[in-house]
Amino acid sequence: QVQLVESGGGSVQAGGSLRLSCAVSGGTFSRYSMGWFRQAPGKEREFVAAIWRSIYYSDSAKGRFTISRDNAKNTVYLQMNSLKPEDTAAYYCAARLGLVVTTTGSDYWGQGTQVTVSS
């Protein structure tokens, strides 16, 4: 069974930075596309970034967030800079075998880590 465990969330002021990590166990990490999604209270879950054969970003993440992966450590990261209050959400890691992760097409999800950005 593939398990995803996120860490690195917290509270920061606007303009600050956070680095999220997602450790994956139970599968061959390199065979999975990995991605980050977020969900704010009262809103639908939305795509943030994905890494597979290419790297993809949402418009809101482009230029501020960087997704990366370390196949030796079975971990995917999301470096978030220049954070804004509207980035406040629970951030979820997702994995998908053989295809790019999507909001509705991912195989596995983590439990989420909260990011709160104050103005």
Side-chain angles (χ1 to χ4, degrees), residues 6-83:
E6 301 99 335
S7 61
S11 297
V12 295
Q13 291 191 329
S17 298
L18 283 174
R19 188 196 195 200
L20 306 183
S21 299
C22 174
V24 180
S25 61
T28 304
F29 181 71
S30 61
R31 297 178 62 193
Y32 288 87
S33 73
M34 300 297 302
W36 290 94
F37 299 79
R38 68 187 184 186
Q39 188 168 18
K43 295 188 177 181
E44 294 187 353
R45 189 170 297 188
E46 64 176 10
F47 168 77
V48 175
I51 183 166
W52 183 221
R53 304 185 189 284
S54 296
I55 291 177
Y56 309 87
Y57 293 104
S58 67
D59 288 343
S60 62
K62 209 169 294 183
R64 300 188 298 126
F65 296 0
T66 303
I67 188 171
S68 61
R69 65 190 295 163
D70 185 336
N71 287 346
K73 295 183 177 180
N74 289 2
T75 301
V76 62
Y77 305 97
L78 185 68
Q79 177 68 44
M80 304 187 295
N81 299 327
S82 302
L83 283 161

